[in-house]
Amino acid sequence: MLIQCTKKLLDELKIKPNSVEAEEPMFCWHANLITVNRRKTIVLMNDSSQYVVALYGLKAKDFKNLDELIINGIRNTFIDEYIKEEIVEQYINHSPGIIYTKTKDRSTVARLNKSCDEIYFCGKKFDEATIYQSAVSRMASADLIRDRKVNYTYTNENLYNDLENFANTSIFRCKSVVLKITLNLLNHKVWRRVIVPMNISFKELHDIIQIAFSWSNYHLHEFVVFEGIKPIVKLCCDEAAFEYPEDLPMILDFDVKLSEYIPKCSGIEYRYDFGDGWEHYIEAEKIIEEFGWNYPVCICGEGNTPPEDVGGDYGYDNFLSIISDPNNPDHDAMVNWGKMQRYGDFDVEFVNRRLKSALNSIW
């Protein structure tokens, strides 16, 4: 595997670049050394797809073992993309060993610098406990880029296409769960059925629900997990919740994965906006051992979601009454307000476009 280093990285490694013949772009990476949160960070960018892998918090001893760190960084990030492990190993073993050389040309270095900027923007999301930053790498690799023919593509999709062509088969293996999420309303039926990876956190499930129900993430939320009819744990979105202790154990939702409670629990309640008091019941309907995609998909649903800050059940019924009566003096203002709140008919195709395009912010 060819690692084409900037002068700054070569100086840090204290090596002279090798002279090598051109390698397939898919197995070539450009690399730069930057500082994030006052920690040395290596940014790797694939020549073919421009996919990014970050190694964070490197110390002097780590640079002596950089070959292994690079391989494991690529391996861990690809696996966290739900790419089949055998395909990841096939990719790594196709071009065994690491060869360090100089950067190729100015245009590629310019793209590398842009990738470094993407990593800078993720500074607050780094995991201080590990060198391997697969979550940050995946976020930085979900960027929209333009090629020389002025065609726009997503970096991660370029990688997926490269790996599919390389392996000549489907590349994803994602253990997932089918969830039916029902909004508890007195006079209306509103529900969504979504397929989500089992390995995501409850914070990521919150992000998915926000998109599936066209909420805008303006308010606090929490999950309550049940065994039978008994609540066993509350998953909170903010540390401030711990200032009001309860008999129920409380955990931050980004620390807990779905697989820790699904399918063992009997059900989950998702509460959003403690003012309007929207309560959703989440039922795990089916486990899919090998789902063919690495992102959530909304299968179907029914009913329109109430607008944000409409005033709960009563306010929603009042809102519907006004917008259905053109003679009501508040009709036009309320219709316009509803549009501002993105109120509209449920559209499963639109929801799925948003779920896919929001991959970087969800993961």
Side-chain angles (χ1 to χ4, degrees):
M1 195 174 297
L2 193 62
I3 306 299
Q4 300 155 101
C5 306
T6 61
K7 184 178 184 302
K8 184 176 181 180
L9 179 54
L10 288 173
D11 290 345
E12 181 72 30
L13 295 174
K14 299 180 176 60
I15 61 174
K16 292 183 179 180
N18 291 288
S19 297
V20 295
E21 295 181 4
E23 174 68 280
E24 297 174 68
M26 183 180 172
F27 302 97
C28 298
W29 298 75
H30 271 68
N32 191 19
L33 179 66
I34 63 175
T35 301
V36 180
N37 302 332
R38 296 185 293 181
R39 295 192 175 208
K40 290 181 178 179
T41 302
I42 289 180
V43 179
L44 298 154
M45 183 198 73
N46 185 261
D47 281 16
S48 176
S49 64
Q50 298 185 40
Y51 192 92
V52 180
V53 172
L55 304 175
Y56 175 68
L58 296 167
K59 299 178 181 178
K61 62 182 178 63
D62 296 318
F63 287 96
K64 298 177 182 178
N65 195 32
L66 191 57
D67 290 19
E68 183 179 347
L69 294 179
I70 288 174
I71 294 298
N72 284 337
I74 294 171
R75 175 185 287 116
N76 292 349
T77 304
F78 283 12
I79 289 175
D80 283 348
E81 285 270 18
Y82 302 101
I83 295 168
K84 296 175 182 176
E85 291 187 24
E86 60 268 26
I87 292 178
V88 176
E89 295 308 316
Q90 185 181 350
Y91 170 83
I92 289 172
N93 293 328
H94 180 82
S95 184
I98 297 288
I99 299 174
Y100 297 97
T101 186
K102 296 186 296 184
T103 55
K104 184 169 59 176
D105 53 52
R106 289 183 178 181
S107 62
T108 307
V109 172
R111 293 197 299 271
L112 174 62
N113 289 334
K114 187 176 183 300
S115 296
C116 292
D117 290 341
E118 294 292 334
I119 294 295
Y120 277 124
F121 294 148
C122 299
K124 293 183 179 180
K125 297 184 179 293
F126 278 87
D127 183 351
E128 299 291 334
T130 179
I131 288 174
Y132 306 117
Q133 301 292 324
S134 61
V136 168
S137 300
R138 292 169 65 195
M139 290 177 65
S141 299
D143 194 26
L144 191 66
I145 59 173
R146 187 180 70 176
D147 63 19
R148 293 176 181 176
K149 296 180 181 179
V150 199
N151 296 317
Y152 286 88
T153 57
Y154 285 97
T155 306
N156 50 9
E157 292 187 357
N158 290 340
L159 173 72
Y160 306 154
N161 290 334
D162 283 348
L163 288 174
E164 282 188 355
N165 292 332
F166 167 69
N168 197 30
T169 186
S170 60
I171 64 170
F172 296 120
R173 179 184 293 128
C174 181
K175 186 174 183 179
S176 301
V177 58
V178 181
L179 300 177
K180 184 177 181 182
I181 308 168
T182 303
L183 176 59
N184 184 18
L185 293 175
L186 292 175
N187 302 313
H188 311 279
K189 291 180 64 175
V190 180
W191 57 270
R192 306 287 185 261
R193 182 171 283 114
V194 296
I195 304 175
V196 301
M198 286 281 285
N199 202 38
I200 65 171
S201 70
F202 277 86
K203 166 61 173 67
E204 291 164 331
L205 177 59
H206 156 75
D207 294 329
I208 292 168
I209 295 172
Q210 288 289 302
I211 292 174
F213 281 83
S214 298
W215 298 118
S216 300
N217 202 14
Y218 290 160
H219 303 284
L220 298 175
H221 69 273
E222 65 185 16
F223 295 89
V224 178
V225 181
F226 288 81
E227 282 188 359
I229 62 172
K230 179 184 177 181
I232 59 171
V233 66
K234 179 179 287 188
L235 307 175
C236 309
C237 68
D238 194 284
E239 291 183 351
F242 296 100
E243 297 176 9
Y244 306 92
E246 303 181 14
D247 293 336
L248 203 60
M250 300 169 68
I251 311 174
L252 290 174
D253 62 0
F254 60 77
D255 286 335
V256 185
K257 295 185 181 299
L258 269 61
S259 56
E260 295 181 42
Y261 291 104
I262 295 176
K264 295 174 289 186
C265 68
S266 60
I268 300 168
E269 190 174 90
Y270 168 71
R271 302 167 180 169
Y272 172 65
D273 184 355
F274 303 149
D276 280 3
W278 303 119
E279 296 182 352
H280 308 67
Y281 178 72
I282 302 174
E283 177 186 4
E285 295 185 324
K286 179 183 179 182
I287 303 297
I288 302 175
E289 291 295 333
E290 293 192 16
F291 186 55
W293 304 102
N294 66 339
Y295 54 84
V297 174
C298 183
I299 307 172
C300 54
E302 179 181 359
N304 300 335
T305 305
E308 296 272 10
D309 301 318
V310 76
D313 261 307
Y314 172 80
Y316 184 43
D317 284 340
N318 187 50
F319 167 80
L320 292 176
S321 174
I322 293 173
I323 66 171
S324 64
D325 180 7
N327 296 320
N328 189 298
D330 296 325
H331 173 268
D332 292 346
M334 192 64 78
V335 168
N336 289 332
W337 178 81
K339 290 179 180 178
M340 291 173 58
Q341 299 294 331
R342 297 193 303 188
Y343 178 76
D345 293 339
F346 169 62
D347 183 341
V348 67
E349 292 184 1
F350 177 70
V351 167
N352 281 322
R353 285 197 299 270
R354 288 194 63 210
L355 284 173
K356 187 175 182 180
S357 65
L359 187 63
N360 59 337
S361 61
I362 290 177
W363 306 141

